[in-house]
Amino acid sequence: MIKQLNVFVENRPGRVYRVTDILTENEIDIKAFTVQDRGEYGLIKMIVDKPDEARLALSERGFACALKDITAVSVPDSPGNLKRLTLIMNENDVNIADVFGFVVQPGNLGVCCMEIHDTLKQAAVDNLKKEGFKLLDSSDFTDL
Amino acid sequence: MQINFWNKQIETASRDEINDIQLQRLKKIVGLAFKSEFYKKKFYKAGIETPEDVKTLEDIQKFPFTTKNDLRQNYPTGLLASDFDDVVRIHSSSGTTGVPTVIYLSAEDMDCWTELVARSLVATGCTKSDIFQNMMTYGLFTGGLGLHYGAERVGMAVLPIGGGNTIRQVKYMQDFKTTTLHITPSYLLHIHGKLDEFNTKIEDLNLKRAITGAEPHTEQTRKKLEELYNMPCYNSYGLSEMNGPGVAFECVYRNGMHIWEDGFIAEIIDPETGQVLPDGEKGELVLTNLTRTAMPLIRYRTRDLCHIYDSDCPCGRTHRRLSRIMGRTDDMMIINGVNVFPSQIEEVVMNIPEVGTNFQIVLAKSGAIDKVIVKVEIYSKMFSGDASQLDSLNKRICEELKASIFVNPAVQIHEPGTLPTFEGKAKRVIDMREEI
C-alpha cells in the first residue's frame, strides 16, 4: 500500500501552482501527480516522498487534504501488460475508483496507481503476484 | 372606463367619514389589545394605561411600534387577545428561522379579511362571471387562501390549482376559459416562455387580467407582462401580519394601490428615527390592523419602503394609495415569490459537519426564474479525500435546503478560507438579479 495525498482545489487558475509552491517550500519531492476534474472543483492527487509532512504543510495553509491508501503495481513497459493487469482486477470483481499510470523507464518499467473501492481482496493480490506483477510499497517509490 | 364597487359607500366615503371609522375602530382595537399579555406590558411601559387615552387619531403616535421580533419573542400565544376557542384560523411563517411568526383570526376576522379581498378584486374589474385561477401556494402562506376566499365571496368560479406544473396550468386556462390569474410576476413571465412549446397562443386563451403579488417587481416588469399577455396586471400588497393579501390593491387605473383605510391605519416613518413622515415622502410603512380582534397589531413595522400618494384617484375611491414597494429595511430575500431569510440557509448549512463556518448566497436570474447559488467551504478536518464525498455533500445540502426553504439551490463547494469574511455585519447575500 502506498499513501496518496488528495488535495481539494477549486477549478481556477493558480491552484496547482499554489500547492506545488507550498510543497517546494517544505522540500517535498513529488513522485507522481494527476488531477481529477469534477467541474467546479478538482482533486490534486500526488504521491510524494514525505506524505505526512506534505499533508501537514498543506493543512496549515488552509487546504482540505487527506491521505488515501492506494494500490500501486509495477507494470512492465511493453504492449498488453495493462490489459493483463486489468483482466486480473476484472476477474476478481475489483472496482477501480480512480487510476493513473506512468512510465518510469521507457521499454522497461511503468507504474499503475489505483484507488480501489473497499479493500483489495487477497485473491486479487495472490493473482497479481502469480502473474508476475509487483505490488509497490512506499520505499519502492522513494527509490524510483 | 367601467368602475365596479363592492362596497361603494365605504370605498367612496369622505375623509371625515373615514377618520370617524378609524378613530372608532382604533379605540376598540386598543381596548382588545390590552387583553394580550404582550400589549398590556408594552402599553404600560409607554405610559398608556387605558384605552380611554386614545382621544384623536393623532394619539396613535403615542403608541410604541410593534416589530417582527416582538412576534417571534412572544411566540406562540403572547399576542393573542381573545379566547383560543374563538380562533378559527392560524397562519404562520415557515418558521425555519427557528421561531415562526404566527397570526390568529376569529370568524369575525376572517369575514373582515375576506370582505377586503373581495373589495380588492372587484376594484380590478372582477365580477361573479369571472373564472379565477389561483396559482399561489396554499397552506400556511396567506396569499393562496386569502385570495381564494375573497374570489369566492365575489362569486367567481375559483380553480384552487396552486403553484407549479405549467402544462396543467395552461391546459386549465384553456379548458375552463380562465379570465383572471393570481400569480407571481416571475411565474407569469416563465409561463409565457412555455406557451410556444405547448403550441398555445395568447389569443386562444380567455385571459382578462392578472393579479400579481408576493414579490416586488418594477413598473417595467408590469409593462412587459401587459404587453406579452395583452391584459392588465394588477399590483397588490399584503403581509401575513396584516392577515395577508387585501391590505392595498390597485384599481383599474393601476396607479398606486388603494389602502383600505377602514381596515388599516397606514403611517410612513423614517426607519432610522421613527418619525412620522408626510404623504409623498418615502419611508417605512407602519400598519395598524383596525379589524382583527383575535390578535390586534398596533403600529406594526412592515420593513417595506414606499410612499403614499395623496392625490385623488379618477376611480372615485377616497382611500389613499400606496406606491410600489421600493425595497425592504431588512435582509429578507424573495425568491420566486417565497420569502427566505439568509439565516434559514445559514441554519441548514451550518448543521452539516463537512461545511466550514463561512458561506455566501448568490441570487441570479435564469430566464424569468430566480436562481439561488449557495457557496460553502469544505471543512478541512472532515475531508476524506474522495470526490464521492463532495458529490454527496453537495446533494445533501441541496436536499436539506429544498426541504426547509422550498427553493432548489445550486451548491458550490469552495476551498477553506476562500469566501469573503466580514468584520461586523456580514454581507452574505449577493443579489445579481437585474431589474427587469
Side-chain angles (χ1 to χ4, degrees):
Chain A
M1 287 296 204
I2 301 261
K3 296 273 184 217
Q4 178 178 280
L5 180 61
N6 290 7
V7 188
F8 175 84
V9 283
E10 292 166 24
N11 190 354
R12 59 184 166 89
R15 300 326 287 153
V16 176
Y17 163 74
R18 184 74 189 118
V19 169
T20 51
D21 186 38
I22 293 166
L23 295 181
T24 308
E25 238 179 66
N26 288 273
E27 295 179 339
I28 308 270
D29 190 10
I30 301 167
K31 298 291 187 186
F33 168 86
T34 183
V35 172
Q36 187 181 5
D37 178 27
R38 305 292 292 190
E40 282 166 352
Y41 60 87
L43 292 179
I44 300 177
K45 301 182 168 184
M46 291 173 291
I47 295 166
V48 298
D49 60 346
K50 291 171 281 186
D52 289 308
E53 279 182 49
R55 192 190 63 79
L56 199 66
L58 289 171
S59 301
E60 276 174 358
R61 301 298 183 90
F63 280 96
C65 50
L67 291 172
K68 300 282 293 178
D69 283 324
I70 62 150
T71 304
V73 180
S74 74
V75 184
D77 180 21
S78 59
N81 287 316
L82 185 59
K83 182 190 127 183
R84 285 204 299 127
L85 170 68
T86 49
L87 179 64
I88 295 167
M89 303 310 256
N90 183 21
E91 282 171 342
N92 286 277
D93 203 26
V94 176
N95 189 17
I96 303 168
D98 199 16
V99 61
F100 68 100
F102 52 97
V103 170
V104 181
Q105 292 168 335
N108 187 11
L109 179 67
V111 174
C112 182
C113 301
M114 297 174 282
E115 273 184 63
I116 297 196
H117 268 309
D118 300 317
T119 49
L120 188 57
K121 294 179 194 106
Q122 191 55 46
V125 174
D126 294 341
N127 275 354
L128 285 170
K129 283 181 181 161
K130 207 169 79 190
E131 287 291 321
F133 290 104
K134 192 184 171 207
L135 272 79
L136 304 177
D137 61 31
S138 41
S139 66
D140 292 314
F141 251 88
T142 332
D143 298 335
L144 279 178
Chain B
M1 200 179 293
Q2 171 78 29
I3 314 284
N4 299 335
F5 291 96
W6 177 252
N7 184 341
K8 191 170 182 180
Q9 199 192 339
I10 293 260
E11 289 174 64
T12 59
S14 70
R15 186 45 48 186
D16 282 348
E17 285 168 324
I18 291 175
N19 286 349
D20 280 351
I21 296 169
Q22 284 193 328
L23 181 59
Q24 210 183 328
R25 290 186 172 173
L26 178 65
K27 284 177 178 173
K28 183 186 166 196
I29 215 77
V30 166
L32 288 170
F34 266 102
K35 293 186 182 172
S36 80
E37 280 169 54
F38 167 76
Y39 275 122
K40 209 187 304 171
K41 267 189 247 163
K42 197 170 179 100
F43 289 169
Y44 188 76
K45 263 191 199 160
I48 301 157
E49 281 165 20
T50 79
E52 270 72 68
D53 288 357
V54 181
K55 298 217 164 26
T56 68
L57 273 180
E58 284 65 44
D59 286 341
I60 195 172
Q61 293 184 22
K62 293 180 188 164
F63 286 85
F65 296 115
T66 306
T67 65
K68 198 175 197 79
N69 204 31
D70 289 328
L71 266 60
R72 291 214 175 102
Q73 283 177 350
N74 292 279
Y75 178 87
T77 54
L79 276 87
L80 186 64
S82 73
D83 199 284
F84 217 109
D85 283 357
D86 294 329
V87 173
V88 299
R89 178 77 72 79
I90 300 169
H91 275 288
S92 166
S93 65
S94 55
T96 35
T97 45
V99 186
T101 53
V102 64
I103 299 297
Y104 300 97
L105 297 121
S106 68
E108 185 191 339
D109 300 345
M110 284 299 303
D111 187 58
C112 289
W113 178 20
T114 303
E115 276 293 302
L116 290 181
V117 177
R119 189 195 290 180
S120 302
L121 287 167
V122 170
T124 69
C126 290
T127 69
K128 68 187 292 292
S129 310
D130 280 299
I131 320 291
F132 186 81
Q133 189 159 334
N134 194 9
M135 298 160 76
M136 287 285 178
T137 312
Y138 278 73
L140 287 171
F141 170 60
T142 53
L145 282 167
L147 262 289
H148 178 107
Y149 275 54
E152 274 190 2
R153 181 150 308 180
V154 172
M156 293 189 253
V158 180
L159 266 162
I161 188 166
N165 198 339
T166 306
I167 296 176
R168 192 176 62 173
Q169 298 280 7
V170 174
K171 179 178 160 49
Y172 281 16
M173 283 178 209
Q174 289 176 296
D175 294 353
F176 298 106
K177 299 190 167 48
T178 301
T179 63
T180 306
L181 303 177
H182 178 216
I183 186 168
T184 62
S186 54
Y187 194 33
L188 192 55
L189 273 175
H190 176 74
I191 286 178
H192 191 269
K194 292 277 173 186
L195 288 177
D196 274 352
E197 258 179 56
F198 309 151
N199 288 317
T200 305
K201 293 194 183 70
I202 295 293
E203 303 85 90
D204 301 339
L205 302 172
N206 196 34
L207 296 175
K208 287 186 188 162
R209 66 186 72 81
I211 314 294
T212 49
E215 61 188 25
H217 56 293
T218 59
E219 197 54 41
Q220 288 87 326
T221 302
R222 188 227 299 264
K223 289 219 171 78
K224 189 175 170 187
L225 286 169
E226 292 189 337
E227 275 166 28
L228 289 173
Y229 283 90
N230 193 27
M231 66 174 172
C233 295
Y234 293 94
N235 202 4
S236 72
Y237 178 76
L239 62 164
S240 65
E241 295 89 327
M242 292 292 135
N243 301 343
V247 176
F249 234 84
E250 281 185 327
C251 65
V252 288
Y253 287 95
R254 307 203 294 290
N255 183 25
M257 302 174 280
H258 291 280
I259 314 157
W260 304 124
E261 296 192 77
D262 55 322
F264 305 92
I265 293 178
E267 302 168 89
I268 300 288
I269 63 160
D270 178 329
E272 301 292 326
T273 63
Q275 199 67 41
V276 176
L277 301 173
D279 284 356
E281 276 190 43
K282 181 182 161 185
E284 181 181 347
L285 177 66
V286 170
L287 289 170
T288 299
N289 192 321
L290 292 174
T291 60
R292 195 172 56 217
T293 56
M295 181 183 162
L297 276 180
I298 313 287
R299 300 195 91 197
Y300 183 72
R301 291 187 65 152
T302 65
R303 311 196 219 185
D304 288 322
L305 298 171
C306 57
H307 62 84
I308 290 177
Y309 300 111
D310 55 359
S311 55
D312 292 337
C313 181
C315 76
R317 286 179 184 80
T318 47
H319 300 238
R320 289 176 304 163
R321 285 163 298 141
L322 207 62
S323 72
R324 277 185 183 280
I325 304 305
M326 299 155 184
R328 292 187 181 252
T329 58
D330 63 4
D331 55 3
M332 189 180 82
M333 305 177 286
I334 299 186
I335 301 166
N336 296 319
V338 179
N339 293 353
V340 177
F341 284 87
S343 54
Q344 292 175 271
I345 293 178
E346 180 171 7
E347 196 175 87
V348 170
V349 298
M350 289 306 135
N351 266 331
I352 296 177
E354 292 91 336
V355 168
T357 52
N358 210 1
F359 73 101
Q360 197 176 48
I361 301 157
V362 178
L363 303 177
K365 277 273 181 198
S366 169
I369 300 294
D370 292 336
K371 210 178 133 198
V372 188
I373 302 154
V374 177
K375 298 180 169 199
V376 300
E377 289 176 359
I378 179 92
Y379 182 45
S380 321
K381 293 206 166 86
M382 296 296 292
F383 180 54
S384 70
D386 293 316
S388 57
Q389 181 198 24
L390 298 164
D391 292 348
S392 66
L393 173 62
N394 193 312
K395 205 174 147 204
R396 201 166 120 212
I397 298 173
C398 275
E399 279 168 2
E400 292 192 19
L401 284 172
K402 206 176 164 186
S404 79
I405 59 170
F406 312 112
V407 295
N408 199 2
V411 172
Q412 283 179 5
I413 303 174
H414 290 263
E415 286 174 33
T418 51
L419 294 176
T421 50
F422 301 94
E423 290 173 11
K425 194 173 161 54
K427 186 167 165 35
R428 297 253 184 241
V429 183
I430 295 174
D431 197 340
M432 289 168 31
R433 295 177 292 190
E434 282 173 49
E435 294 211 327
I436 43 170

